[in-house]
PDB file of all heavy atoms in Angstrom:
ATOM      1  N   ASP A   1     -13.378  -1.179   0.703  1.00 93.00           N
ATOM      2  CA  ASP A   1     -13.120  -2.146  -0.362  1.00 93.00           C
ATOM      3  C   ASP A   1     -12.697  -3.510   0.176  1.00 93.00           C
ATOM      4  O   ASP A   1     -12.547  -4.459  -0.597  1.00 93.00           O
ATOM      5  CB  ASP A   1     -12.042  -1.616  -1.313  1.00 93.00           C
ATOM      6  CG  ASP A   1     -12.540  -0.453  -2.152  1.00 93.00           C
ATOM      7  OD1 ASP A   1     -13.769  -0.295  -2.260  1.00 93.00           O
ATOM      8  OD2 ASP A   1     -11.699   0.297  -2.700  1.00 93.00           O
ATOM      9  N   LEU A   2     -12.499  -3.604   1.481  1.00 94.00           N
ATOM     10  CA  LEU A   2     -12.148  -4.880   2.091  1.00 94.00           C
ATOM     11  C   LEU A   2     -13.359  -5.774   2.330  1.00 94.00           C
ATOM     12  O   LEU A   2     -13.205  -6.920   2.749  1.00 94.00           O
ATOM     13  CB  LEU A   2     -11.414  -4.653   3.419  1.00 94.00           C
ATOM     14  CG  LEU A   2      -9.982  -4.126   3.295  1.00 94.00           C
ATOM     15  CD1 LEU A   2      -9.432  -3.750   4.665  1.00 94.00           C
ATOM     16  CD2 LEU A   2      -9.077  -5.145   2.624  1.00 94.00           C
ATOM     17  N   LEU A   3     -14.566  -5.268   2.070  1.00 88.00           N
ATOM     18  CA  LEU A   3     -15.763  -6.087   2.190  1.00 88.00           C
ATOM     19  C   LEU A   3     -15.871  -6.983   0.963  1.00 88.00           C
ATOM     20  O   LEU A   3     -16.029  -6.511  -0.162  1.00 88.00           O
ATOM     21  CB  LEU A   3     -17.011  -5.210   2.323  1.00 88.00           C
ATOM     22  CG  LEU A   3     -17.124  -4.418   3.627  1.00 88.00           C
ATOM     23  CD1 LEU A   3     -18.356  -3.516   3.585  1.00 88.00           C
ATOM     24  CD2 LEU A   3     -17.193  -5.348   4.822  1.00 88.00           C
ATOM     25  N   SER A   4     -15.770  -8.267   1.174  1.00 80.00           N
ATOM     26  CA  SER A   4     -15.740  -9.232   0.077  1.00 80.00           C
ATOM     27  C   SER A   4     -17.033 -10.025   0.046  1.00 80.00           C
ATOM     28  O   SER A   4     -17.470 -10.569   1.061  1.00 80.00           O
ATOM     29  CB  SER A   4     -14.554 -10.189   0.244  1.00 80.00           C
ATOM     30  OG  SER A   4     -14.529 -11.154  -0.780  1.00 80.00           O
ATOM     31  N   GLY A   5     -17.652 -10.059  -1.129  1.00 71.00           N
ATOM     32  CA  GLY A   5     -18.883 -10.814  -1.297  1.00 71.00           C
ATOM     33  C   GLY A   5     -18.891 -11.538  -2.620  1.00 71.00           C
ATOM     34  O   GLY A   5     -17.867 -12.076  -3.058  1.00 71.00           O
ATOM     35  N   ALA A   6     -20.047 -11.531  -3.263  1.00 59.00           N
ATOM     36  CA  ALA A   6     -20.173 -12.219  -4.546  1.00 59.00           C
ATOM     37  C   ALA A   6     -19.694 -11.364  -5.711  1.00 59.00           C
ATOM     38  O   ALA A   6     -19.502 -11.866  -6.814  1.00 59.00           O
ATOM     39  CB  ALA A   6     -21.623 -12.627  -4.763  1.00 59.00           C
ATOM     40  N   ASP A   7     -19.503 -10.054  -5.471  1.00 72.00           N
ATOM     41  CA  ASP A   7     -19.101  -9.168  -6.558  1.00 72.00           C
ATOM     42  C   ASP A   7     -17.610  -9.296  -6.845  1.00 72.00           C
ATOM     43  O   ASP A   7     -16.862  -9.940  -6.120  1.00 72.00           O
ATOM     44  CB  ASP A   7     -19.456  -7.717  -6.205  1.00 72.00           C
ATOM     45  CG  ASP A   7     -18.978  -7.337  -4.814  1.00 72.00           C
ATOM     46  OD1 ASP A   7     -18.589  -8.250  -4.059  1.00 72.00           O
ATOM     47  OD2 ASP A   7     -18.985  -6.140  -4.484  1.00 72.00           O
ATOM     48  N   GLU A   8     -17.190  -8.664  -7.911  1.00 75.00           N
ATOM     49  CA  GLU A   8     -15.792  -8.709  -8.308  1.00 75.00           C
ATOM     50  C   GLU A   8     -14.918  -7.978  -7.287  1.00 75.00           C
ATOM     51  O   GLU A   8     -15.311  -6.940  -6.751  1.00 75.00           O
ATOM     52  CB  GLU A   8     -15.601  -8.067  -9.681  1.00 75.00           C
ATOM     53  CG  GLU A   8     -16.121  -8.901 -10.835  1.00 75.00           C
ATOM     54  CD  GLU A   8     -15.311 -10.182 -11.008  1.00 75.00           C
ATOM     55  OE1 GLU A   8     -14.071 -10.120 -10.883  1.00 75.00           O
ATOM     56  OE2 GLU A   8     -15.930 -11.227 -11.248  1.00 75.00           O
ATOM     57  N   PRO A   9     -13.741  -8.507  -6.985  1.00 82.00           N
ATOM     58  CA  PRO A   9     -12.868  -7.842  -6.010  1.00 82.00           C
ATOM     59  C   PRO A   9     -12.364  -6.513  -6.539  1.00 82.00           C
ATOM     60  O   PRO A   9     -12.119  -6.344  -7.730  1.00 82.00           O
ATOM     61  CB  PRO A   9     -11.718  -8.844  -5.842  1.00 82.00           C
ATOM     62  CG  PRO A   9     -11.713  -9.649  -7.099  1.00 82.00           C
ATOM     63  CD  PRO A   9     -13.154  -9.754  -7.514  1.00 82.00           C
ATOM     64  N   ARG A  10     -12.217  -5.567  -5.625  1.00 87.00           N
ATOM     65  CA  ARG A  10     -11.676  -4.258  -5.970  1.00 87.00           C
ATOM     66  C   ARG A  10     -10.243  -4.197  -5.460  1.00 87.00           C
ATOM     67  O   ARG A  10     -10.005  -4.087  -4.261  1.00 87.00           O
ATOM     68  CB  ARG A  10     -12.534  -3.159  -5.345  1.00 87.00           C
ATOM     69  CG  ARG A  10     -13.888  -2.985  -6.030  1.00 87.00           C
ATOM     70  CD  ARG A  10     -14.818  -2.118  -5.232  1.00 87.00           C
ATOM     71  NE  ARG A  10     -15.334  -2.827  -4.062  1.00 87.00           N
ATOM     72  CZ  ARG A  10     -16.255  -2.338  -3.235  1.00 87.00           C
ATOM     73  NH1 ARG A  10     -16.743  -1.138  -3.439  1.00 87.00           N
ATOM     74  NH2 ARG A  10     -16.672  -3.047  -2.208  1.00 87.00           N
ATOM     75  N   LEU A  11      -9.310  -4.257  -6.382  1.00 93.00           N
ATOM     76  CA  LEU A  11      -7.905  -4.274  -6.014  1.00 93.00           C
ATOM     77  C   LEU A  11      -7.370  -2.852  -5.867  1.00 93.00           C
ATOM     78  O   LEU A  11      -7.984  -1.880  -6.299  1.00 93.00           O
ATOM     79  CB  LEU A  11      -7.106  -5.035  -7.071  1.00 93.00           C
ATOM     80  CG  LEU A  11      -7.556  -6.477  -7.333  1.00 93.00           C
ATOM     81  CD1 LEU A  11      -6.731  -7.092  -8.449  1.00 93.00           C
ATOM     82  CD2 LEU A  11      -7.461  -7.315  -6.071  1.00 93.00           C
ATOM     83  N   ALA A  12      -6.214  -2.753  -5.221  1.00 94.00           N
ATOM     84  CA  ALA A  12      -5.620  -1.445  -4.953  1.00 94.00           C
ATOM     85  C   ALA A  12      -5.316  -0.698  -6.237  1.00 94.00           C
ATOM     86  O   ALA A  12      -4.807  -1.271  -7.201  1.00 94.00           O
ATOM     87  CB  ALA A  12      -4.345  -1.618  -4.134  1.00 94.00           C
ATOM     88  N   GLN A  13      -5.629   0.579  -6.241  1.00 93.00           N
ATOM     89  CA  GLN A  13      -5.329   1.442  -7.372  1.00 93.00           C
ATOM     90  C   GLN A  13      -4.052   2.227  -7.099  1.00 93.00           C
ATOM     91  O   GLN A  13      -3.617   2.372  -5.950  1.00 93.00           O
ATOM     92  CB  GLN A  13      -6.494   2.399  -7.629  1.00 93.00           C
ATOM     93  CG  GLN A  13      -7.780   1.683  -8.032  1.00 93.00           C
ATOM     94  CD  GLN A  13      -8.918   2.659  -8.251  1.00 93.00           C
ATOM     95  OE1 GLN A  13      -8.905   3.767  -7.728  1.00 93.00           O
ATOM     96  NE2 GLN A  13      -9.910   2.243  -9.028  1.00 93.00           N
ATOM     97  N   ALA A  14      -3.468   2.748  -8.150  1.00 94.00           N
ATOM     98  CA  ALA A  14      -2.201   3.456  -8.026  1.00 94.00           C
ATOM     99  C   ALA A  14      -2.388   4.832  -7.393  1.00 94.00           C
ATOM    100  O   ALA A  14      -3.490   5.394  -7.360  1.00 94.00           O
ATOM    101  CB  ALA A  14      -1.557   3.603  -9.403  1.00 94.00           C
ATOM    102  N   LEU A  15      -1.303   5.361  -6.880  1.00 95.00           N
ATOM    103  CA  LEU A  15      -1.290   6.722  -6.363  1.00 95.00           C
ATOM    104  C   LEU A  15      -1.588   7.716  -7.474  1.00 95.00           C
ATOM    105  O   LEU A  15      -1.514   7.373  -8.662  1.00 95.00           O
ATOM    106  CB  LEU A  15       0.091   7.025  -5.767  1.00 95.00           C
ATOM    107  CG  LEU A  15       0.516   6.218  -4.544  1.00 95.00           C
ATOM    108  CD1 LEU A  15       2.018   6.380  -4.323  1.00 95.00           C
ATOM    109  CD2 LEU A  15      -0.256   6.661  -3.310  1.00 95.00           C
ATOM    110  N   ASP A  16      -1.930   8.937  -7.087  1.00 94.00           N
ATOM    111  CA  ASP A  16      -2.161   9.951  -8.115  1.00 94.00           C
ATOM    112  C   ASP A  16      -0.842  10.282  -8.811  1.00 94.00           C
ATOM    113  O   ASP A  16       0.245   9.860  -8.390  1.00 94.00           O
ATOM    114  CB  ASP A  16      -2.798  11.198  -7.505  1.00 94.00           C
ATOM    115  CG  ASP A  16      -1.938  11.855  -6.430  1.00 94.00           C
ATOM    116  OD1 ASP A  16      -0.724  12.007  -6.642  1.00 94.00           O
ATOM    117  OD2 ASP A  16      -2.477  12.205  -5.360  1.00 94.00           O
ATOM    118  N   ALA A  17      -0.944  11.016  -9.890  1.00 94.00           N
ATOM    119  CA  ALA A  17       0.215  11.259 -10.752  1.00 94.00           C
ATOM    120  C   ALA A  17       1.378  11.908  -9.999  1.00 94.00           C
ATOM    121  O   ALA A  17       2.538  11.539 -10.196  1.00 94.00           O
ATOM    122  CB  ALA A  17      -0.204  12.129 -11.937  1.00 94.00           C
ATOM    123  N   ARG A  18       1.072  12.868  -9.123  1.00 95.00           N
ATOM    124  CA  ARG A  18       2.139  13.562  -8.390  1.00 95.00           C
ATOM    125  C   ARG A  18       2.878  12.619  -7.454  1.00 95.00           C
ATOM    126  O   ARG A  18       4.106  12.588  -7.425  1.00 95.00           O
ATOM    127  CB  ARG A  18       1.549  14.732  -7.603  1.00 95.00           C
ATOM    128  CG  ARG A  18       2.564  15.430  -6.696  1.00 95.00           C
ATOM    129  CD  ARG A  18       1.969  16.639  -6.007  1.00 95.00           C
ATOM    130  NE  ARG A  18       2.888  17.213  -5.043  1.00 95.00           N
ATOM    131  CZ  ARG A  18       2.928  16.870  -3.754  1.00 95.00           C
ATOM    132  NH1 ARG A  18       2.082  15.952  -3.285  1.00 95.00           N
ATOM    133  NH2 ARG A  18       3.793  17.445  -2.934  1.00 95.00           N
ATOM    134  N   MET A  19       2.130  11.845  -6.689  1.00 95.00           N
ATOM    135  CA  MET A  19       2.746  10.931  -5.731  1.00 95.00           C
ATOM    136  C   MET A  19       3.473   9.789  -6.440  1.00 95.00           C
ATOM    137  O   MET A  19       4.536   9.347  -6.001  1.00 95.00           O
ATOM    138  CB  MET A  19       1.679  10.379  -4.787  1.00 95.00           C
ATOM    139  CG  MET A  19       1.025  11.423  -3.913  1.00 95.00           C
ATOM    140  SD  MET A  19       2.144  12.084  -2.664  1.00 95.00           S
ATOM    141  CE  MET A  19       1.989  10.835  -1.402  1.00 95.00           C
ATOM    142  N   LYS A  20       2.901   9.333  -7.544  1.00 93.00           N
ATOM    143  CA  LYS A  20       3.562   8.261  -8.286  1.00 93.00           C
ATOM    144  C   LYS A  20       4.869   8.749  -8.899  1.00 93.00           C
ATOM    145  O   LYS A  20       5.841   7.988  -9.001  1.00 93.00           O
ATOM    146  CB  LYS A  20       2.622   7.721  -9.362  1.00 93.00           C
ATOM    147  CG  LYS A  20       3.131   6.447 -10.018  1.00 93.00           C
ATOM    148  CD  LYS A  20       2.033   5.714 -10.765  1.00 93.00           C
ATOM    149  CE  LYS A  20       1.464   6.515 -11.898  1.00 93.00           C
ATOM    150  NZ  LYS A  20       0.529   5.722 -12.717  1.00 93.00           N
ATOM    151  N   LYS A  21       4.915  10.000  -9.293  1.00 94.00           N
ATOM    152  CA  LYS A  21       6.143  10.561  -9.830  1.00 94.00           C
ATOM    153  C   LYS A  21       7.225  10.622  -8.756  1.00 94.00           C
ATOM    154  O   LYS A  21       8.413  10.410  -9.028  1.00 94.00           O
ATOM    155  CB  LYS A  21       5.876  11.955 -10.399  1.00 94.00           C
ATOM    156  CG  LYS A  21       7.086  12.593 -11.056  1.00 94.00           C
ATOM    157  CD  LYS A  21       6.742  13.946 -11.649  1.00 94.00           C
ATOM    158  CE  LYS A  21       7.972  14.577 -12.309  1.00 94.00           C
ATOM    159  NZ  LYS A  21       7.646  15.903 -12.917  1.00 94.00           N
ATOM    160  N   LEU A  22       6.804  10.887  -7.512  1.00 93.00           N
ATOM    161  CA  LEU A  22       7.755  10.980  -6.414  1.00 93.00           C
ATOM    162  C   LEU A  22       8.258   9.612  -5.957  1.00 93.00           C
ATOM    163  O   LEU A  22       9.442   9.424  -5.697  1.00 93.00           O
ATOM    164  CB  LEU A  22       7.104  11.703  -5.220  1.00 93.00           C
ATOM    165  CG  LEU A  22       6.868  13.203  -5.359  1.00 93.00           C
ATOM    166  CD1 LEU A  22       6.050  13.717  -4.187  1.00 93.00           C
ATOM    167  CD2 LEU A  22       8.190  13.945  -5.441  1.00 93.00           C
ATOM    168  N   PHE A  23       7.338   8.641  -5.858  1.00 95.00           N
ATOM    169  CA  PHE A  23       7.669   7.368  -5.229  1.00 95.00           C
ATOM    170  C   PHE A  23       7.653   6.172  -6.173  1.00 95.00           C
ATOM    171  O   PHE A  23       7.997   5.059  -5.761  1.00 95.00           O
ATOM    172  CB  PHE A  23       6.689   7.085  -4.081  1.00 95.00           C
ATOM    173  CG  PHE A  23       6.621   8.167  -3.046  1.00 95.00           C
ATOM    174  CD1 PHE A  23       5.398   8.621  -2.575  1.00 95.00           C
ATOM    175  CD2 PHE A  23       7.771   8.734  -2.543  1.00 95.00           C
ATOM    176  CE1 PHE A  23       5.330   9.622  -1.620  1.00 95.00           C
ATOM    177  CE2 PHE A  23       7.727   9.735  -1.577  1.00 95.00           C
ATOM    178  CZ  PHE A  23       6.495  10.182  -1.114  1.00 95.00           C
ATOM    179  N   GLY A  24       7.248   6.374  -7.410  1.00 91.00           N
ATOM    180  CA  GLY A  24       7.040   5.250  -8.319  1.00 91.00           C
ATOM    181  C   GLY A  24       8.272   4.420  -8.600  1.00 91.00           C
ATOM    182  O   GLY A  24       8.177   3.222  -8.843  1.00 91.00           O
ATOM    183  N   ARG A  25       9.443   5.043  -8.572  1.00 92.00           N
ATOM    184  CA  ARG A  25      10.682   4.322  -8.901  1.00 92.00           C
ATOM    185  C   ARG A  25      11.570   4.087  -7.676  1.00 92.00           C
ATOM    186  O   ARG A  25      12.527   3.314  -7.741  1.00 92.00           O
ATOM    187  CB  ARG A  25      11.467   5.084  -9.973  1.00 92.00           C
ATOM    188  CG  ARG A  25      10.725   5.170 -11.287  1.00 92.00           C
ATOM    189  CD  ARG A  25      11.507   5.979 -12.302  1.00 92.00           C
ATOM    190  NE  ARG A  25      12.792   5.374 -12.608  1.00 92.00           N
ATOM    191  CZ  ARG A  25      12.974   4.419 -13.514  1.00 92.00           C
ATOM    192  NH1 ARG A  25      11.940   3.975 -14.216  1.00 92.00           N
ATOM    193  NH2 ARG A  25      14.170   3.919 -13.750  1.00 92.00           N
ATOM    194  N   SER A  26      11.258   4.765  -6.577  1.00 95.00           N
ATOM    195  CA  SER A  26      12.054   4.604  -5.364  1.00 95.00           C
ATOM    196  C   SER A  26      11.178   4.881  -4.152  1.00 95.00           C
ATOM    197  O   SER A  26      10.705   6.002  -3.964  1.00 95.00           O
ATOM    198  CB  SER A  26      13.254   5.555  -5.373  1.00 95.00           C
ATOM    199  OG  SER A  26      13.983   5.452  -4.177  1.00 95.00           O
ATOM    200  N   LEU A  27      10.954   3.857  -3.352  1.00 97.00           N
ATOM    201  CA  LEU A  27      10.106   3.992  -2.172  1.00 97.00           C
ATOM    202  C   LEU A  27      10.846   3.434  -0.958  1.00 97.00           C
ATOM    203  O   LEU A  27      11.217   2.257  -0.929  1.00 97.00           O
ATOM    204  CB  LEU A  27       8.783   3.243  -2.372  1.00 97.00           C
ATOM    205  CG  LEU A  27       7.815   3.263  -1.188  1.00 97.00           C
ATOM    206  CD1 LEU A  27       7.324   4.689  -0.930  1.00 97.00           C
ATOM    207  CD2 LEU A  27       6.636   2.328  -1.435  1.00 97.00           C
ATOM    208  N   LYS A  28      11.061   4.281   0.043  1.00 98.00           N
ATOM    209  CA  LYS A  28      11.729   3.869   1.275  1.00 98.00           C
ATOM    210  C   LYS A  28      10.692   3.860   2.403  1.00 98.00           C
ATOM    211  O   LYS A  28       9.998   4.856   2.618  1.00 98.00           O
ATOM    212  CB  LYS A  28      12.862   4.837   1.639  1.00 98.00           C
ATOM    213  CG  LYS A  28      13.783   5.187   0.485  1.00 98.00           C
ATOM    214  CD  LYS A  28      14.497   3.980  -0.079  1.00 98.00           C
ATOM    215  CE  LYS A  28      15.451   4.389  -1.193  1.00 98.00           C
ATOM    216  NZ  LYS A  28      16.084   3.230  -1.858  1.00 98.00           N
ATOM    217  N   LEU A  29      10.629   2.749   3.122  1.00 98.00           N
ATOM    218  CA  LEU A  29       9.625   2.589   4.170  1.00 98.00           C
ATOM    219  C   LEU A  29      10.279   2.294   5.510  1.00 98.00           C
ATOM    220  O   LEU A  29      11.247   1.535   5.587  1.00 98.00           O
ATOM    221  CB  LEU A  29       8.664   1.449   3.818  1.00 98.00           C
ATOM    222  CG  LEU A  29       7.806   1.631   2.566  1.00 98.00           C
ATOM    223  CD1 LEU A  29       7.065   0.342   2.233  1.00 98.00           C
ATOM    224  CD2 LEU A  29       6.818   2.780   2.744  1.00 98.00           C
ATOM    225  N   ARG A  30       9.739   2.895   6.551  1.00 98.00           N
ATOM    226  CA  ARG A  30      10.134   2.556   7.925  1.00 98.00           C
ATOM    227  C   ARG A  30       9.050   1.652   8.489  1.00 98.00           C
ATOM    228  O   ARG A  30       7.891   2.024   8.548  1.00 98.00           O
ATOM    229  CB  ARG A  30      10.258   3.813   8.786  1.00 98.00           C
ATOM    230  CG  ARG A  30      10.572   3.514  10.261  1.00 98.00           C
ATOM    231  CD  ARG A  30      11.955   2.931  10.408  1.00 98.00           C
ATOM    232  NE  ARG A  30      12.375   2.858  11.802  1.00 98.00           N
ATOM    233  CZ  ARG A  30      12.295   1.765  12.556  1.00 98.00           C
ATOM    234  NH1 ARG A  30      11.783   0.648  12.039  1.00 98.00           N
ATOM    235  NH2 ARG A  30      12.728   1.768  13.793  1.00 98.00           N
ATOM    236  N   GLN A  31       9.439   0.442   8.870  1.00 97.00           N
ATOM    237  CA  GLN A  31       8.472  -0.502   9.418  1.00 97.00           C
ATOM    238  C   GLN A  31       8.324  -0.274  10.915  1.00 97.00           C
ATOM    239  O   GLN A  31       9.306  -0.149  11.643  1.00 97.00           O
ATOM    240  CB  GLN A  31       8.920  -1.942   9.150  1.00 97.00           C
ATOM    241  CG  GLN A  31       7.798  -2.972   9.215  1.00 97.00           C
ATOM    242  CD  GLN A  31       7.541  -3.451  10.619  1.00 97.00           C
ATOM    243  OE1 GLN A  31       8.453  -3.755  11.359  1.00 97.00           O
ATOM    244  NE2 GLN A  31       6.271  -3.523  10.992  1.00 97.00           N
ATOM    245  N   VAL A  32       7.065  -0.196  11.385  1.00 97.00           N
ATOM    246  CA  VAL A  32       6.772   0.010  12.801  1.00 97.00           C
ATOM    247  C   VAL A  32       5.958  -1.171  13.308  1.00 97.00           C
ATOM    248  O   VAL A  32       4.852  -1.425  12.830  1.00 97.00           O
ATOM    249  CB  VAL A  32       5.988   1.319  13.037  1.00 97.00           C
ATOM    250  CG1 VAL A  32       5.716   1.500  14.530  1.00 97.00           C
ATOM    251  CG2 VAL A  32       6.746   2.508  12.479  1.00 97.00           C
ATOM    252  N   SER A  33       6.512  -1.899  14.262  1.00 96.00           N
ATOM    253  CA  SER A  33       5.792  -2.998  14.899  1.00 96.00           C
ATOM    254  C   SER A  33       5.084  -2.445  16.127  1.00 96.00           C
ATOM    255  O   SER A  33       5.702  -2.255  17.175  1.00 96.00           O
ATOM    256  CB  SER A  33       6.756  -4.122  15.299  1.00 96.00           C
ATOM    257  OG  SER A  33       6.053  -5.162  15.950  1.00 96.00           O
ATOM    258  N   ALA A  34       3.794  -2.200  15.985  1.00 95.00           N
ATOM    259  CA  ALA A  34       3.019  -1.560  17.048  1.00 95.00           C
ATOM    260  C   ALA A  34       2.316  -2.601  17.914  1.00 95.00           C
ATOM    261  O   ALA A  34       1.097  -2.599  18.063  1.00 95.00           O
ATOM    262  CB  ALA A  34       2.008  -0.587  16.449  1.00 95.00           C
ATOM    263  N   GLY A  35       3.111  -3.517  18.469  1.00 93.00           N
ATOM    264  CA  GLY A  35       2.550  -4.525  19.358  1.00 93.00           C
ATOM    265  C   GLY A  35       2.174  -5.817  18.673  1.00 93.00           C
ATOM    266  O   GLY A  35       1.354  -6.580  19.196  1.00 93.00           O
ATOM    267  N   GLY A  36       2.743  -6.100  17.505  1.00 89.00           N
ATOM    268  CA  GLY A  36       2.413  -7.307  16.766  1.00 89.00           C
ATOM    269  C   GLY A  36       3.045  -8.552  17.370  1.00 89.00           C
ATOM    270  O   GLY A  36       3.920  -8.484  18.241  1.00 89.00           O
ATOM    271  N   CYS A  37       2.604  -9.716  16.896  1.00 93.00           N
ATOM    272  CA  CYS A  37       3.105 -10.999  17.400  1.00 93.00           C
ATOM    273  C   CYS A  37       4.378 -11.429  16.683  1.00 93.00           C
ATOM    274  O   CYS A  37       4.929 -12.478  16.995  1.00 93.00           O
ATOM    275  CB  CYS A  37       2.035 -12.075  17.263  1.00 93.00           C
ATOM    276  SG  CYS A  37       1.713 -12.572  15.553  1.00 93.00           S
ATOM    277  N   ASN A  38       4.820 -10.675  15.699  1.00 93.00           N
ATOM    278  CA  ASN A  38       6.025 -10.888  14.903  1.00 93.00           C
ATOM    279  C   ASN A  38       5.785 -11.758  13.670  1.00 93.00           C
ATOM    280  O   ASN A  38       6.709 -11.998  12.900  1.00 93.00           O
ATOM    281  CB  ASN A  38       7.167 -11.499  15.732  1.00 93.00           C
ATOM    282  CG  ASN A  38       8.530 -11.172  15.139  1.00 93.00           C
ATOM    283  OD1 ASN A  38       8.766 -10.062  14.702  1.00 93.00           O
ATOM    284  ND2 ASN A  38       9.421 -12.158  15.101  1.00 93.00           N
ATOM    285  N   ALA A  39       4.565 -12.225  13.451  1.00 95.00           N
ATOM    286  CA  ALA A  39       4.290 -12.997  12.238  1.00 95.00           C
ATOM    287  C   ALA A  39       4.314 -12.092  11.011  1.00 95.00           C
ATOM    288  O   ALA A  39       4.942 -12.424  10.001  1.00 95.00           O
ATOM    289  CB  ALA A  39       2.944 -13.704  12.358  1.00 95.00           C
ATOM    290  N   CYS A  40       3.620 -10.966  11.079  1.00 96.00           N
ATOM    291  CA  CYS A  40       3.619 -10.022   9.952  1.00 96.00           C
ATOM    292  C   CYS A  40       5.030  -9.495   9.694  1.00 96.00           C
ATOM    293  O   CYS A  40       5.450  -9.361   8.539  1.00 96.00           O
ATOM    294  CB  CYS A  40       2.672  -8.858  10.238  1.00 96.00           C
ATOM    295  SG  CYS A  40       0.917  -9.273  10.221  1.00 96.00           S
ATOM    296  N   GLU A  41       5.752  -9.213  10.779  1.00 96.00           N
ATOM    297  CA  GLU A  41       7.095  -8.689  10.631  1.00 96.00           C
ATOM    298  C   GLU A  41       8.010  -9.713   9.958  1.00 96.00           C
ATOM    299  O   GLU A  41       8.835  -9.365   9.112  1.00 96.00           O
ATOM    300  CB  GLU A  41       7.656  -8.303  12.009  1.00 96.00           C
ATOM    301  CG  GLU A  41       6.936  -7.153  12.689  1.00 96.00           C
ATOM    302  CD  GLU A  41       5.682  -7.575  13.442  1.00 96.00           C
ATOM    303  OE1 GLU A  41       5.232  -8.728  13.276  1.00 96.00           O
ATOM    304  OE2 GLU A  41       5.145  -6.747  14.194  1.00 96.00           O
ATOM    305  N   ALA A  42       7.845 -10.970  10.327  1.00 95.00           N
ATOM    306  CA  ALA A  42       8.681 -12.022   9.747  1.00 95.00           C
ATOM    307  C   ALA A  42       8.443 -12.158   8.247  1.00 95.00           C
ATOM    308  O   ALA A  42       9.393 -12.302   7.463  1.00 95.00           O
ATOM    309  CB  ALA A  42       8.417 -13.349  10.450  1.00 95.00           C
TER     310      ALA A  42
END
């Protein structure tokens, strides 16, 4: 879906019902910098 052309963009869709029930109201993430230049991290 990252291929962009003349057609309408396809944006991210939601998780399935089970996963959304688990994470929809509270999501904790561990960020991993796997060799980045620190721009994304910033």
Side-chain angles (χ1 to χ4, degrees):
D1 290 341
L2 288 172
L3 292 176
S4 178
D7 49 348
E8 287 293 319
R10 287 168 286 185
L11 303 177
Q13 296 179 337
L15 295 165
D16 60 45
R18 174 176 174 269
M19 296 291 277
K20 190 163 62 173
K21 183 178 180 179
L22 288 172
F23 304 134
R25 296 178 62 85
S26 177
L27 178 65
K28 313 299 182 185
L29 296 171
R30 176 67 170 98
Q31 201 275 315
V32 181
S33 178
C37 71
N38 205 41
C40 290
E41 294 83 349

